[in-house]
């Protein structure tokens, strides 16, 4: 019986997505200058694409397309726009996204459902430790989603551990929305000021921006460090401005759950073909129900794998693994292929390194060269130990670049950036 139910649900999901895709393609053919041009160039009409499987006949949309033709993706008059946001610019020039009132309602629905998956209820007090301004879509989504759930929100904003702890005590916050590495700063502040954080009202953190788990869903070094100190539930969530949709973990912590009525996902290899089940590939998305700037077969650049077996929580939707890395950030160094996240893992597990920036450049031979910018306060013994740590964990040893603390902080926290910089890609081309 369970197998039959799973098949029935899969069929229902396919029918739902096919119907929504048909509506989307007809909408784009009428309203999107960019996709009108794309369809004309490739002699595609909306009625030719009737199923998700037919998407393979449509060319991919890339970040470069969005950057080059940003205004052409807009499908509504500017008088219908109620909010503007921009991407963070991690992979180049930031892109502007416009939202209508309908888009904000969709964003609200997505986030309320995602937070509910992580266990947030009307009884909770959610503390936002990230910005709500600076054209940041996520902060707005977190606020709107919490409001729809009926939970209370404390909008503290980024940084300032003293104010965060004051807010936790004052409002008895139960959930934190937080970049996970900031939890370590909250712990350090609490320990320095005699705060018993394990006796606080906080029971869980919804973690954004940094991975908490490895590909086997075990806590990575960062996650384990937090959990060892502070016994709270840690939930991962993965999203982007372009997707206007989140993949959030449930209490089983086995990947981020898919909302099939809000987004179509494909996972493709380097040739643009679908990978086999369980294999790693680039996530490609098609947004459903977006009015102002819908996207069709947009390449996210994120390398993931899909898990399609039912979750122990009872949900049968596909789940996404933690992001292995960005496709464009893949490094080929001394015969080894790696992503910045694996370098982050090594640095996070080395106690003496408190601040770092990873950089990859092109060397005189035209190949990748990996640099790790660290504080010049590190001793010679620490530098030697760090290199051995890299050799043992990654089988390669990057070059250490010792920087004055002020210089390193300026690299890590650029004045106009919404988030700390961990990786700089300075390769030619």
């Amino acid at each position: 019986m369970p197998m039959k139910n799973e098949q029935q649900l899969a069929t229902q999901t396919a029918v739902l997505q096919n119907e929504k895709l048909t509506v989307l393609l007809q909408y784009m053919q009428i309203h999107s200058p960019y996709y009108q041009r794309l369809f004309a160039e490739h002699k595609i009409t909306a009625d030719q694409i009737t199923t998700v499987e037919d998407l393979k006949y449509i060319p991919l949309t890339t970040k470069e397309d969005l950057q080059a033709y940003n205004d052409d993706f807009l499908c509504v008059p500017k008088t219908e726009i109620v909010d503007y946001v921009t991407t963070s610019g991690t992979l180049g020039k930031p892109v502007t996204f416009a939202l209508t009132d309908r888009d904000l309602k969709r964003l609200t629905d997505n986030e309320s459902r995602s937070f509910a998956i992580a266990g947030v209820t009307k009884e909770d007090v959610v503390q936002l430790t990230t910005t709500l301004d600076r054209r940041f879509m996520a902060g707005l989504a977190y606020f709107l989603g919490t409001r729809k759930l009926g939970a209370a929100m404390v909008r503290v904003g980024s940084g300032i551990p003293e104010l965060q702890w004051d807010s936790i005590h004052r409002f008895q916050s139960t959930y934190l929305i937080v970049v996970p590495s900031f939890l370590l700063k909250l712990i350090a502040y609490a320990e320095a000021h005699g705060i018993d954080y394990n006796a606080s009202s906080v029971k869980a953190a919804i973690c954004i921006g940094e991975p908490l788990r490895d590909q086997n869903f075990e806590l990575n070094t960062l996650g384990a460090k937090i959990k060892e100190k502070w016994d709270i539930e840690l939930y991962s969530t993965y999203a982007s401005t372009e997707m206007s949709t989140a993949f959030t973990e449930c209490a089983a912590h086995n990947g981020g759950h898919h909302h099939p009525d809000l987004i179509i996902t494909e996972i493709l290899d380097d040739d643009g073909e679908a990978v086999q089940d369980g294999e790693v590939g680039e996530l490609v998305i098609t947004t459903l129900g977006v009015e102002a700037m819908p996207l069709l077969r947009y390449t996210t650049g994120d390398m993931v794998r899909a898990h399609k077996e039912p979750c122990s929580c009872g949900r049968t939707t596909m789940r996404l693994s933690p992001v292995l890395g960005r496709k464009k950030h893949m490094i080929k160094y001394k015969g080894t292929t790696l992503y910045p996240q694996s370098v982050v893992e090594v640095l996070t597990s080395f106690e003496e390194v408190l601040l770092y920036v990873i950089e990859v450049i092109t060397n005189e031979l035209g190949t990748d060269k990996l640099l790790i910018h660290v504080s010049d306060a590190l001793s010679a013994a620490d530098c030697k130990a760090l290199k051995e740590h890299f050799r043992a964990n990654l089988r390669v040893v990057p070059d250490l670049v010792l920087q004055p603390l002020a210089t390193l902080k300026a690299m890590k926290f650029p004045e106009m950036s919404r988030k700390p910089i961990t990786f700089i890609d300075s390769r030619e081309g």
Side-chain angles (χ1 to χ4, degrees):
M1 184 64 70
M3 180 63 72
K4 183 178 179 181
N5 289 339
E6 290 166 23
Q7 291 171 344
Q8 288 174 339
L9 287 169
T11 300
Q12 290 169 3
T13 297
V15 170
L16 172 68
Q17 289 201 320
N18 291 341
E19 289 175 350
K20 285 183 170 286
L21 178 60
T22 298
V23 172
L24 171 67
L25 290 167
Q26 292 171 346
Y27 179 77
M28 286 178 158
Q29 191 164 263
I30 297 170
H31 298 287
S32 172
Y34 178 82
Y35 287 107
Q36 287 172 348
R37 187 165 64 246
L38 183 75
F39 290 175
E41 288 175 2
H42 294 272
K43 297 181 171 57
I44 297 168
T45 59
D47 56 8
Q48 292 174 314
I49 311 299
T50 59
T51 69
V52 170
E53 287 71 27
D54 293 338
L55 280 172
K56 62 186 177 183
Y57 300 115
I58 300 176
L60 299 172
T61 298
T62 66
K63 185 79 165 186
E64 290 74 23
D65 295 327
L66 267 175
Q67 290 167 333
Y69 308 107
N70 201 172
D71 290 347
D72 289 348
F73 284 86
L74 186 63
C75 295
V76 298
K78 290 193 174 181
T79 52
E80 296 299 309
I81 297 168
V82 298
D83 194 69
Y84 284 102
V85 298
T86 57
T87 61
S88 61
T90 306
L91 291 179
K93 185 175 70 175
V95 171
T96 296
F97 271 83
L99 293 91
T100 64
D101 186 63
R102 178 179 164 187
D103 291 334
L104 284 183
K105 288 176 180 175
R106 180 191 176 282
L107 194 66
T108 300
D109 180 53
N110 162 77
E111 213 60 57
S112 66
R113 288 157 63 181
S114 296
F115 283 179
I117 287 173
V120 180
T121 71
K122 183 177 174 62
E123 284 70 40
D124 285 301
V125 177
V126 180
Q127 184 160 317
L128 182 62
T129 74
T130 63
T131 183
L132 195 64
D133 54 9
R134 300 191 183 183
R135 308 186 308 225
F136 187 42
M137 176 189 275
L140 178 62
Y142 303 146
F143 172 75
L144 294 173
T146 302
R147 183 182 176 196
K148 182 174 181 180
L149 276 174
M153 171 162 277
V154 185
R155 293 178 290 109
V156 182
S158 58
I160 321 178
E162 181 180 5
L163 183 58
Q164 301 291 350
W165 277 114
D166 176 76
S167 301
I168 290 169
H169 294 319
R170 187 182 298 269
F171 305 111
Q172 293 295 288
S173 305
T174 54
Y175 274 77
L176 303 179
I177 301 174
V178 62
V179 175
S181 57
F182 186 63
L183 288 172
L184 293 176
K185 293 185 178 180
L186 290 180
I187 291 169
Y189 181 91
E191 290 178 339
H193 293 82
I195 298 171
D196 186 356
Y197 44 88
N198 276 305
S200 75
S201 57
V202 177
K203 63 183 181 182
I206 296 175
C207 296
I208 64 170
E210 297 170 341
L212 279 174
R213 303 184 191 280
D214 59 25
Q215 293 297 302
N216 295 318
F217 301 121
E218 299 294 329
L219 287 172
N220 61 17
T221 302
L222 174 59
K225 271 189 171 184
I226 297 166
K227 190 72 173 176
E228 180 184 359
K229 289 274 192 176
W230 199 355
D231 189 22
I232 57 176
E233 282 293 302
L234 302 174
Y235 294 95
S236 292
T237 186
Y238 162 68
S240 71
T241 301
E242 296 91 336
M243 295 194 300
S244 294
T245 314
F247 296 78
T248 303
E249 284 184 339
C250 66
H253 303 297
N254 283 322
H257 282 279
H258 177 211
H259 300 309
D261 58 322
L262 298 182
I263 195 166
I264 294 170
T265 61
E266 302 173 77
I267 299 179
L268 307 182
D269 61 21
D270 289 342
D271 298 319
E273 301 293 331
V275 301
Q276 297 296 312
D277 282 354
E279 290 187 357
V280 173
E282 182 180 14
L283 178 66
V284 173
I285 58 97
T286 295
T287 53
L288 300 173
V290 172
E291 186 174 36
M293 295 182 69
L295 294 177
L296 184 62
R297 302 202 80 205
Y298 175 74
T299 57
T300 65
D302 291 329
M303 304 300 288
V304 299
R305 58 164 53 91
H307 294 267
K308 297 183 178 179
E309 69 280 5
C311 182
S312 60
C313 73
R315 296 178 179 88
T316 59
T317 51
M318 179 271 290
R319 289 164 289 116
L320 280 186
S321 72
V323 175
L324 184 66
R326 288 190 181 271
K327 184 177 182 179
K328 288 188 176 181
H329 287 172
M330 185 177 73
I331 303 165
K332 294 184 177 180
Y333 186 61
K334 297 182 179 179
T336 298
T337 297
L338 49 89
Y339 290 95
Q341 181 53 35
S342 59
V343 182
V344 169
E345 280 283 289
V346 174
L347 289 163
T348 303
S349 63
F350 195 80
E351 299 286 348
E352 289 76 10
V353 175
L354 301 178
L355 205 62
Y356 61 84
V357 174
I358 303 161
E359 183 179 18
V360 60
I361 65 173
T362 303
N363 66 16
E364 61 277 4
L365 300 176
T367 59
D368 294 348
K369 184 175 183 179
L370 188 59
L371 308 177
I372 310 296
H373 298 267
V374 293
S375 169
D376 59 7
L378 281 180
S379 68
D382 285 339
C383 290
K384 181 179 179 181
L386 179 56
K387 289 184 176 182
E388 289 303 316
H389 194 52
F390 271 108
R391 193 189 313 278
N393 286 274
L394 296 183
R395 299 189 300 279
V396 294
V397 180
D399 290 354
L400 299 185
V401 181
L402 301 181
Q403 300 280 14
L405 186 57
T407 302
L408 188 58
K409 284 184 175 180
M411 293 176 67
K412 185 78 174 180
F413 307 103
E415 187 174 342
M416 295 301 292
S417 179
R418 294 192 302 229
K419 51 190 178 183
I421 300 298
T422 297
F423 177 73
I424 299 172
D425 194 339
S426 301
R427 287 175 287 194
E428 297 172 5

